[in-house]
Amino acid sequence: MPVDDRDDETNRFRRSPTGPWVAPPARAPVSPAQPPRPSAPSRAARRRPIWSVSVFVLLLLGCGIRAYRDLSRPEAWAYWKDQYFSPSLSASLIPKSDIDGTGNGRPALAIHGVIGAAGASWLRAQIDENHLVPGDAILLSSPGGDLGQALIMGEIIRAHGLVTAVGTADTSGDVRPAYCASACVLVYAGGKLRYGVEGSRLGVHRFVTTTPVSDPVADTQRIAGMVLGYMTKMGVSSTVVEEMSQTREVRWLDPKAALAMNLITNPVVAR
């Protein structure tokens, strides 16, 4: 008997060689593809976060040790103390001070105290905070202090175009005599104009280092050269450095001598 086992294209059934039409065997359903299961992290991958934490801790310790070494130095601690904890200088703003005796008041920042290790940063902040402009005044009353900071303070005063005078003032603007000695004189020299005040005093002496050095004579000469260069830049005669070099004790300058040295640029005004 002929057998026709070809598929019928129009029917889901096909002819069986031994009987009636039968359905073809059902195909197994195709399940959707499953995402690959994540593999367990390797031991090296598990160690990576531990190494990262270790490196961070080591960097933190390194910074801490360096900061400790910096702060353990006396000069560094003196700076931080003067800058953030107990500034050695104090200031008050006088809205209208009569430093030239003309009755035309001008704003003045009256500064009192010893020049500390952070005096320059302190002065810069005070000038900005009180909005001083060229022509405003700095009134000084100080026994001196840090030489290096005094030089920078004088540079700041000159850069802002401020004038200087030695004295104190109350809220009425009346200027009273005071004294300015040692490193304070360098700050005073920074004024674009340097007013004399009757009764006020300027005191100079030889600067010496307070820290041990291998060659004290050479260090003294170095300091003298530095002061001479600064005074020359500020327009002060070199004779003031000669006056300084003659004694370690404070020598009070005669007002006429200070005027001749051009340390005072505007003569003493009688009150």
Side-chain angles (χ1 to χ4, degrees):
M1 181 169 62
V3 177
D4 186 2
D5 58 355
R6 293 174 299 174
D7 293 341
D8 190 329
E9 296 180 356
T10 61
N11 203 325
R12 294 179 60 251
F13 298 92
R14 66 182 178 181
R15 186 177 298 153
S16 173
T18 59
W21 293 81
V22 296
R27 296 180 180 179
V30 179
S31 60
Q34 297 293 329
R37 181 176 299 176
S39 58
S42 64
R43 183 175 298 179
R46 289 196 298 268
R47 288 179 179 175
R48 192 170 301 144
I50 298 176
W51 279 109
S52 300
V53 173
S54 301
V55 170
F56 175 76
V57 171
L58 289 174
L59 289 174
L60 190 62
L61 287 174
C63 294
I65 292 172
R66 184 172 181 179
Y68 172 77
R69 288 176 178 174
D70 290 341
L71 289 176
S72 63
R73 294 182 300 171
E75 61 272 19
W77 170 244
Y79 177 87
W80 280 80
K81 180 181 178 182
D82 194 45
Q83 177 74 11
Y84 300 107
F85 299 108
S86 57
S88 56
L89 290 170
S90 61
S92 57
L93 182 66
I94 311 301
K96 291 185 178 181
S97 65
D98 184 19
I99 64 172
D100 55 6
T102 62
N104 298 321
R106 73 178 81 195
L109 187 67
I111 297 176
H112 316 266
V114 177
I115 301 169
S121 298
W122 176 88
L123 176 62
R124 186 180 291 109
Q126 290 293 322
I127 291 174
D128 293 341
E129 181 180 332
N130 290 285
H131 308 290
L132 298 185
V133 299
D136 290 347
I138 299 290
L139 282 175
L140 295 166
S141 175
S142 170
D146 191 295
L147 171 63
Q149 292 296 303
L151 294 172
I152 301 173
M153 291 171 72
E155 295 278 8
I156 293 171
I157 290 172
R158 179 60 61 90
H160 283 80
L162 305 176
V163 305
T164 54
V166 178
T168 60
D170 53 25
T171 54
S172 67
D174 292 333
V175 178
R176 298 184 299 274
Y179 72 94
C180 173
S182 187
C184 176
V185 175
L186 303 178
V187 181
Y188 173 77
K192 187 175 181 180
L193 295 175
R194 299 179 286 274
Y195 288 92
V197 175
E198 185 181 21
S200 290
R201 307 176 74 189
L202 289 164
V204 298
H205 68 95
R206 182 169 66 249
F207 291 104
V208 294
T209 183
T210 57
T211 56
V213 293
S214 58
D215 191 342
V217 175
D219 192 69
T220 300
Q221 293 175 346
R222 178 188 63 82
I223 294 174
M226 180 172 60
V227 173
L228 176 60
Y230 170 82
M231 287 297 197
T232 301
K233 180 180 179 180
M234 296 302 169
V236 182
S237 171
S238 61
T239 55
V240 70
V241 180
E242 296 175 6
E243 290 286 339
M244 292 177 178
S245 63
Q246 291 180 9
T247 177
R248 293 189 62 174
E249 302 298 326
V250 174
R251 172 176 291 183
W252 300 103
L253 297 176
D254 182 81
K256 292 182 180 179
L259 185 63
M261 298 172 185
N262 207 38
L263 183 58
I264 294 176
T265 59
N266 291 52
V268 174
V269 176
R271 299 285 165 176

